[in-house]
Amino acid sequence: MKKTEKVIITCAITGSIHTPTMSPYLPITPEQIIEQSVEAAEAGAAILHLHARDPIDGRPSPDPELFMQFLPQIKQRTNAVVNITTGGAPGFSEDDRLAAPLRAQPEMTSLNMGSMNFGVFGLADKYTDWKHPWEKPFLEASAKFAANHNFALIERIIRELGEGHGTKFEYECYDLGHLYNVAHFADRGLIKPPFLIQGIFGVLGGIGADLENLTLMKQTADRLFGDDYYLSCFGIGRAQMRFLTMSAMMGGNVRVGLEDSLMIGRGQLAKSNAEQVRKIRSILTELGIEIATPDEARQMLALKGGDQVAF
């Protein structure tokens, strides 16, 4: 793993799994996404990871026009690295997932490194009154859903975005096998270091949110990539902050955001993405760990620069 004196904070602003019923603070409209992104960047996030939602009912949307309603303003009002999803949401086609990234040609996108069961159906039992009729069936349907991130799709994303537009990737690894998939594409010469390996812990269908698993993932990545990668990680839900702290103490980076957890403490909803950024920044500062600026993150990850995007 590459050692660094400064930690990159990524903030995942809204995601595609949490629904409007779950938190009144979840950003839905382009204006809300802009405001929360700007606040998160001001709080210390170097990278902003972005999805889009239908501004009427909050359901996930792949529409490039929606992305273009918030991407230019975020770029104008912050220096943060913009990172757009290619995972999208259940029900999106492959073309859906690529529509906005190919339009925007960002510095970074996410890249899920393997197909997997992705079970969030348990959330459907936690609420009785729903704001919108789509929410409960959407969550329940995940019992029959397997997220499709096959080798052909991964290669398509690498070629069309990486080779085509100079985009770099946040390699999302939900299990140990996903690390070997990254190594496969590296061995073929289709992707180049430095790699940002994002370990994701606690999704039903992926690796569990046990701290021992973080150690195991780091050890495996060390074997596969040596000094060619930066580690980042997060545990979903209540595992969030302890995983982030552990990652930073191991020399890794961190990711917060309402995509990954709606909470700021036990039983307490986070009122913004920035609140989570401020909390992890405070923890890291108390540990004597410095926070990377957006330009320092660009240098670490060898990004093409914000002047090379299409928004």
Side-chain angles (χ1 to χ4, degrees):
M1 184 178 70
K2 279 186 174 292
K3 300 296 183 182
T4 176
E5 297 300 320
K6 298 188 178 184
V7 166
I8 297 170
I9 300 176
T10 295
C11 188
I13 299 296
T14 187
S16 61
I17 298 301
H18 291 135
T19 70
T21 294
M22 298 176 186
S23 173
Y25 308 111
L26 185 70
I28 299 299
T29 67
E31 293 76 16
Q32 291 167 344
I33 292 171
I34 291 166
E35 290 305 315
Q36 290 221 29
S37 295
V38 171
E39 291 173 3
E42 290 174 345
I47 299 174
L48 302 171
H49 175 60
L50 299 169
H51 291 241
R53 290 176 179 264
D54 185 316
I56 303 300
D57 64 8
R59 74 178 68 213
S61 173
D63 186 355
E65 297 303 324
L66 276 176
F67 278 86
M68 297 308 288
Q69 288 180 34
F70 56 78
L71 292 178
Q73 289 199 50
I74 291 171
K75 178 187 173 185
Q76 290 165 13
R77 294 176 60 184
T78 79
N79 187 37
V81 175
V82 170
N83 172 341
I84 299 175
T85 180
T86 64
F92 287 11
S93 70
E94 294 185 6
D95 288 343
D96 286 339
R97 297 181 203 178
L98 278 165
L102 287 174
R103 169 80 173 272
Q105 302 171 27
E107 294 183 80
M108 295 193 77
T109 68
S110 63
L111 180 52
N112 293 23
M113 291 310 297
S115 299
M116 59 179 290
N117 291 331
F118 201 106
V120 294
F121 46 85
L123 293 172
D125 298 327
K126 295 186 176 182
Y127 305 87
T128 54
D129 298 319
W130 299 89
K131 289 184 178 179
H132 304 287
W134 68 270
E135 297 179 69
K136 186 176 182 181
F138 172 80
L139 296 168
E140 290 175 331
S142 70
K144 298 181 179 180
F145 171 71
N148 175 23
H149 303 286
N150 59 63
F151 287 107
L153 175 58
I154 294 171
E155 183 167 342
R156 177 185 174 187
I157 293 170
I158 289 170
R159 291 192 182 280
E160 293 189 20
L161 283 171
E163 295 179 3
H165 298 295
T167 298
K168 297 278 283 188
F169 302 105
E170 171 196 14
Y171 297 97
E172 296 200 339
C173 296
Y174 292 79
D175 221 331
L176 286 181
H178 295 178
L179 294 174
Y180 289 87
N181 294 348
V182 178
H184 163 78
F185 287 101
D187 290 344
R188 291 174 58 193
L190 294 181
I191 56 176
K192 307 291 184 185
F195 309 118
L196 178 61
I197 301 293
Q198 187 71 262
I200 302 169
F201 300 80
V203 173
L204 184 59
I207 197 166
D210 305 300
L211 291 175
E212 293 86 351
N213 285 338
L214 173 55
T215 301
L216 181 59
M217 187 167 277
K218 179 185 179 298
Q219 291 171 341
T220 304
D222 285 343
R223 282 199 311 274
L224 292 172
F225 309 115
D227 293 332
D228 283 344
Y229 85 103
Y230 289 102
L231 176 70
S232 184
C233 88
F234 62 94
I236 66 165
R238 60 189 174 189
Q240 184 187 47
M241 288 296 166
R242 69 172 181 262
F243 258 81
L244 301 181
T245 304
M246 185 73 169
S247 176
M249 292 179 68
M250 294 170 64
N253 302 278
V254 300
R255 174 173 137 171
V256 294
L258 298 184
E259 172 173 352
D260 307 329
S261 173
L262 295 173
M263 314 305 287
I264 193 64
R266 184 181 296 274
Q268 183 182 359
L269 288 171
K271 294 181 179 179
S272 69
N273 281 277
E275 189 175 10
Q276 291 187 357
V277 175
R278 286 192 291 267
K279 181 171 182 176
I280 191 59
R281 181 170 189 163
S282 176
I283 292 170
L284 299 183
T285 300
E286 289 296 320
L287 293 171
I289 298 172
E290 294 187 65
I291 309 302
T293 67
D295 284 338
E296 288 169 338
R298 288 183 172 94
Q299 183 175 13
M300 291 165 62
L301 301 175
L303 303 184
K304 64 181 181 178
D307 58 339
Q308 300 297 313
V309 300
F311 57 89

